[in-house]
Amino acid sequence: MEVPTTPSAGGDRTGEEGGGGGWFGRSPAASPAAPRPPRPDVHQPVPEAVRPYVREPAPASVHPYGHEPASSPLHQDGRQSSPSPGRPSSGPVRPAEGRPAAGAGPVPGRAASRDSSDTALLRRTMAEIEPIADKVTSYFYAQLFLRHPDLRALFPAAMDVQRDRLFKALLTAATHADDTAALTAYLDRLGRGHRKYGTLPEHYPAVGEALICALSRHAPSSWGPRTEAAWVSAYTTISQIMIDAATADELRAPAWWQAEVVGHEMRTPDIAVVTVRPDQPYPFLAGQYTALETPWWPRVWRHYSFASAPRSDGVLSFHVKAVPAGWVSNALVHRARPGDVIRLGAPTGSMTVDHSTDNGLLCLGGGTGIAPIKALVEDVAQHGRHRSVDVFYGARRSDDLYDIETMLRLQQSHSWLSVRPVVDDSPVGLLSGGLPGAVREYGPWHTYDVYLSGPPGMIRRGVDTLLGIGVSTHRIRHDSIEELVGAAT
């Protein structure tokens, strides 16, 4: 299935490792990148290099981008300080930090009471660029590739999916800098996942340079020395966490696995079950997912969930639906054949079964979302604990229930398993009205752990239905909706 899975009802990240290309690598060199000459097309003077990324914040007298800020990055009252003596002035004069320019409207997201914390400064910048996010993202990549053209080769030829994911992931991390636990978990995953892109240490300062350049140009009302210092500090923290995660992961696992296609079965004209054998042991858990890259579209990676629990022979299966203009999905469905070799990223995701409890499992799978649901059922069976598992398998038409025979065979083999097919336009004998409506007819489910996998609309409606019938948020696990929107290619 071409989606990742996450452990929470609200979804967590994301978007982090689904697209092709990468800009975070392993631990950077101990010395700062060499400064580059300023570009004439930049709106204002921008920092040209990033110092080594260390946990300690840079002292006030030494700016991480190679020049002295007008004021210390900490414990300010939010007002703009006077320029440093002797510092030449270039570029347009900016308004006081956090204040709109003359004649400008109110700054988006400005709180009634002034909050001068770093997190507040980051979020003010985010609020200001939100209405022009596409423009800022394009400028970010333009600066990155203009200043560092050698990095373009690390990205896929088409930047449609990657363009939004990369910049969004960085901004998401920066604006959650005050939530250490969530930030670390998010960045650990990104750091490990970006190993497969082949990034190098010097990419960290290159990305930081492009980020500051894009934000300073497009957020004039909220930008200033303190805001710049806040973003530099946030990026320093982000980099260090990712560096540590990548370094630790390098000791345990390769950056990617080669896997030979050993089976290719067409279930419908546009859905195939693709089976591969990795070139070395590939440890994973049922309910997790990975990223796949085909030889026909280098540097383009897409997420797919494992369609079975770990097997003794080590082979892995994926359910792939070809979608219009989907590079990876069409290659896997219509082009891949036994003997072809693809690449796998590391397994990830937390939509897994807690085997320390006997809670029942309620599983909702729509379309190819049945793939990780089937893996969870197999996982319960392998552990030998009899616990109630109720599966609702949804599709638009009965012909789209491509794996129903497999699921019904599992039901015949296990008395604790119930499988109910649901179609939108139901013939006699099947539930109709969609998965959320069908779930309401059964239950109660408030003591069950719930797993949802399928299209974004199904996930949203399913979560709303579950919450409405009394299922607690902490019991609900589902695919990341942000990734679902962008991963179907």
Side-chain angles (χ1 to χ4, degrees), residues 67-94:
H67 63 263
E68 183 179 352
S71 59
S72 169
L74 299 177
H75 308 302
Q76 301 297 312
D77 61 3
R79 294 174 296 179
Q80 179 164 330
S81 304
S82 301
S84 300
R87 182 176 176 179
S89 174
S90 59
V93 178
R94 292 190 175 277

Side-chain angles (χ1 to χ4, degrees), residues 16 56 78 129 139 141 153 176 219 238 240 279 294 323 337 376 401 419 445 457 477:
E16 63 326 326
E56 297 78 17
I129 68 172
Y139 189 83
Y141 283 108
H176 287 80
I238 290 168
Q240 189 65 59
D279 60 347
T294 72
V323 299
R337 292 296 180 267
L376 294 175
L401 297 171
V419 177
W445 307 113
R477 295 173 172 84

Side-chain angles (χ1 to χ4, degrees), residues 272-285:
V273 175
V274 181
T275 305
V276 303
R277 177 178 290 112
D279 60 347
Q280 53 188 305
Y282 188 94
F284 73 99
L285 300 175

Side-chain angles (χ1 to χ4, degrees), residues 150-344:
D150 54 305
L151 298 187
R152 185 62 182 88
L154 297 179
F155 291 79
M159 292 286 290
D160 51 350
V161 174
Q162 176 67 15
R163 190 181 72 93
D164 292 333
R165 285 183 176 173
L166 205 72
F167 194 58
K168 183 183 293 184
L170 183 56
L171 297 182
T172 298
T175 52
H176 287 80
D178 58 342
D179 188 345
T180 303
L183 180 67
T184 301
Y186 177 65
L187 294 175
D188 276 352
R189 186 164 55 248
L190 280 182
R192 295 192 302 270
H194 277 80
R195 290 183 57 217
K196 65 179 176 288
Y197 299 133
T199 51
L200 298 174
E202 56 265 30
H203 298 165
Y204 283 92
V207 172
E209 176 186 329
L211 173 68
I212 297 298
C213 180
L215 295 177
S216 62
R217 179 179 179 88
H218 291 94
S221 296
S222 60
W223 199 259
R226 279 222 55 222
T227 300
E228 180 179 311
W231 277 99
V232 169
S233 177
Y235 184 73
T236 299
T237 300
I238 290 168
S239 301
Q240 189 65 59
I241 294 174
M242 294 184 68
I243 290 165
D244 292 345
T247 301
D249 192 60
E250 188 174 7
L251 301 176
R252 299 189 298 262
W256 65 78
W257 286 254
Q258 302 280 2
E260 179 185 358
V261 177
V262 295
H264 189 281
E265 178 188 358
M266 296 295 297
R267 293 291 184 86
T268 74
D270 60 356
I271 295 177
V273 175
V274 181
T275 305
V276 303
R277 177 178 290 112
D279 60 347
Q280 53 188 305
Y282 188 94
F284 73 99
L285 300 175
Q288 289 190 308
Y289 64 93
T290 188
L292 305 185
E293 180 202 49
T294 72
W296 305 285
W297 296 108
R299 302 182 302 280
V300 180
W301 297 77
R302 294 294 182 265
H303 289 124
Y304 291 88
S305 292
F306 301 105
S308 65
R311 294 170 42 167
S312 58
D313 59 5
V315 301
L316 313 171
S317 292
F318 304 94
H319 293 186
V320 184
K321 180 181 177 67
V323 299
W327 295 11
V328 175
S329 62
N330 277 282
L332 289 171
V333 172
H334 299 302
R335 192 166 182 175
R337 292 296 180 267
D340 291 331
V341 176
I342 65 174
R343 291 206 298 181
L344 310 175

